[in-house]
Amino acid sequence: MKPLGIGVIGCGVISDIYMKNCAIFPGIALRAVADLRPEAAEAKAVQYGVPAVTPAELLKRDDIDIVLNLTIPKAHVEVGLMVLDAGKHLYAEKPLAGSVAEGRRLLQAAAAKGLRVGSAPDTFLGGSHQTARALLDTGRIGRPTAGTAVMMVAGHERWHPNPDFYYAGEGAGPLMDMGPYYITALVNLLGPVSRVVGMAARGRDRRIIATGPRAGQDIPVEVPTHVTGVMEFASGAVVQIVTSFDVKAHRHTPLELYGTDGAMLIPDPNHFDGEVMLHAADWEPQVMRHAHGDGNYRGLGLADMADAIVTKRDHRASGALALHALDVIESLLRAASTGRAEALATTCDRPAPLPTGTATGQINMAEMAE
Ligand SMILES: NC(=O)c1ccc[n+]([C@@H]2O[C@H](COP(=O)([O-])OP(=O)(O)OC[C@H]3O[C@@H](n4cnc5c(N)ncnc54)[C@H](O)[C@@H]3O)[C@@H](O)[C@H]2O)c1
């Protein structure tokens, strides 16, 4: 089958892994790259053997079916709308948009033109999270009733040379930054969220940059940096979540789920690999039978979307899933400021699980038979 053509807009830090991984999925092929900064596009063009063009030129190319939007969060909607307007399918890095209202604009524009919108994170398609999903779906912990999601670090100013955007402006704060991974992983496992309560705090009003040319400079903190809450899922399960840039050390695991017949420890949802532990009589590591659990497979959701376009089925890392995750984030933050429980305005289906027994680069069993 002829691969679908991919054009990348945004040639920054994260673009490398996507461009590298285009080569391992037979259903997609990198065709051209673009950036506001021509030198950034040129560098990737040389590295990956494709032409560097302007974003406008990229959108006019007939050999590009899907545009991969890897620009900074505040450009996601503007660039996304241009992509859809040009009649191309869109797959974007997280967050889908700065707000649920903006995210809806993207999905409505795509629906009006019969185009697809897909979004990171796609780590829930990795071997470890698909293993957890299979264990859950076969009833190995019984009916899931509760869980915890914990992402607590001391703050990105300790390693990032320009950490301003983590503390002020669109997409700032630990929940906006890391929440998409945890919430998407939980929606994959438990289904949509129906209601949330939240509380938030700010550890410090200013942060000091620790590395790079601006080391020693202090920057303002304009958002809560410790956000905690409870998500009630439509299934009835309740999961505590905490995301923080205010914690120097802790010993919680990233994700735990508890059911009527057991419990499960699920690896970091920012990664594709890691061991799932299941507790029936005692904690036991689980065998991974799904592909893409031994490395960084960013772009798996894009490859799945390409396969879904060709085979005319729903794609898994969908715009609807990303919009719902954004709604959970926005609702938790709103609940933290109003002090009330907030009902979610959006919902979505659980993405279909991936089959076991496929190899790296393969999405479904049909490809194996070819
Ligand atoms: N860096 C990471 O580790 C990481 C991890 C996961 C997700 N992400 C996400 O990936 C996205 C990109 O992050 P990054 O770290 O690569 O950022 P970056 O700043 O390194 O790169 C972004 C690139 O987009 C370009 N750009 C900005 N606006 C543009 C526009 N309107 N048109 C064309 N090009 C434009 C910039 O010139 C820059 O080269 C973000 O949404 C981020 O949340 C990053």
Side-chain angles (χ1 to χ4, degrees):
M1 207 184 296
K2 195 169 154 265
L4 295 195
I6 307 298
V8 173
I9 301 185
C11 298
V13 173
I14 201 67
S15 68
D16 253 321
I17 188 68
Y18 279 99
M19 293 181 194
K20 183 166 158 257
N21 284 353
C22 274
I24 63 173
F25 295 109
I28 55 176
L30 185 63
R31 302 270 194 234
V33 297
D35 197 291
L36 273 186
R37 297 179 299 126
E39 70 280 11
E42 199 52 55
K44 297 297 166 204
V46 170
Q47 206 175 337
Y48 295 96
V50 292
V53 295
T54 66
E57 285 163 357
L58 187 140
L59 295 178
K60 284 197 203 115
R61 288 179 72 111
D62 291 336
D63 62 350
I64 289 176
D65 304 286
I66 306 174
V67 175
L68 178 54
N69 180 6
L70 303 180
T71 60
I72 50 172
K74 77 170 185 209
H76 283 181
V77 173
E78 182 198 329
V79 172
L81 288 173
M82 276 166 39
V83 169
L84 296 168
D85 196 45
K88 311 286 189 200
H89 301 287
L90 170 69
Y91 188 92
E93 248 303 339
K94 56 89 191 160
L96 177 69
S99 67
V100 172
E102 287 285 287
R104 277 193 210 280
R105 279 181 71 201
L106 279 178
L107 298 203
Q108 282 163 359
K113 290 200 148 202
L115 295 167
R116 306 273 186 133
V117 174
S119 175
D122 55 0
T123 37
F124 73 93
L125 298 174
S128 61
H129 278 254
Q130 288 295 315
T131 298
R133 167 80 183 258
L135 291 165
L136 205 77
D137 287 358
T138 50
R140 294 289 300 279
I141 64 164
R143 181 172 57 79
T145 54
T148 57
V150 179
M151 194 301 300
M152 300 194 293
V153 292
H156 294 331
E157 75 281 13
R158 287 154 68 103
W159 60 271
H160 201 297
N162 293 300
D164 314 64
F165 71 93
Y166 290 114
Y167 296 105
E170 206 164 90
L175 187 61
M176 274 298 242
D177 177 42
M178 294 302 287
Y181 294 103
Y182 289 75
I183 294 162
T184 307
L186 285 166
V187 173
N188 172 52
L189 295 168
L190 299 174
V193 176
S194 55
R195 203 164 59 128
V196 299
V197 292
M199 286 206 181
R202 192 188 308 184
R204 279 164 283 158
D205 290 336
R206 302 195 76 80
R207 298 270 175 156
I208 296 170
I209 301 176
T211 59
R214 296 168 65 203
Q217 189 180 325
D218 71 348
I219 56 171
V221 179
E222 292 174 4
V223 294
T225 45
H226 188 97
V227 186
T228 181
V230 182
M231 300 174 285
E232 180 187 59
F233 286 76
S235 69
V238 288
V239 177
Q240 294 155 252
I241 183 167
V242 52
T243 60
S244 183
F245 290 154
D246 287 332
V247 175
K248 285 217 157 61
H250 70 85
R251 295 179 68 175
H252 295 278
T253 64
L255 281 171
E256 302 194 0
L257 282 184
Y258 317 117
T260 47
D261 301 327
M264 191 156 52
L265 307 183
I266 302 156
D268 188 336
N270 193 12
H271 297 288
F272 291 79
D273 52 358
E275 201 164 55
V276 176
M277 300 285 289
L278 189 81
H279 191 289
D282 201 354
W283 287 113
E284 281 175 12
Q286 300 298 301
V287 177
M288 194 189 290
R289 294 194 175 82
H290 291 81
H292 308 114
D294 59 350
N296 184 351
Y297 291 101
R298 276 190 161 76
L300 177 54
L302 169 66
D304 177 65
M305 188 169 98
D307 181 78
I309 290 167
V310 173
T311 58
K312 299 186 169 44
R313 60 167 176 83
D314 291 339
H315 56 288
R316 293 174 170 92
S318 68
L321 174 59
L323 185 72
H324 185 60
L326 188 58
D327 191 10
V328 175
I329 291 170
E330 216 173 77
S331 300
L332 278 164
L333 291 169
R334 197 167 52 245
S337 84
T338 63
R340 288 192 300 267
E342 297 281 338
L344 272 282
T346 63
T347 188
C348 66
D349 293 328
R350 263 198 334 162
L354 281 162
T356 54
T358 58
T360 298
Q362 290 170 337
I363 305 297
N364 56 42
M365 301 303 284
E367 287 171 31
M368 294 196 70
E370 275 170 20

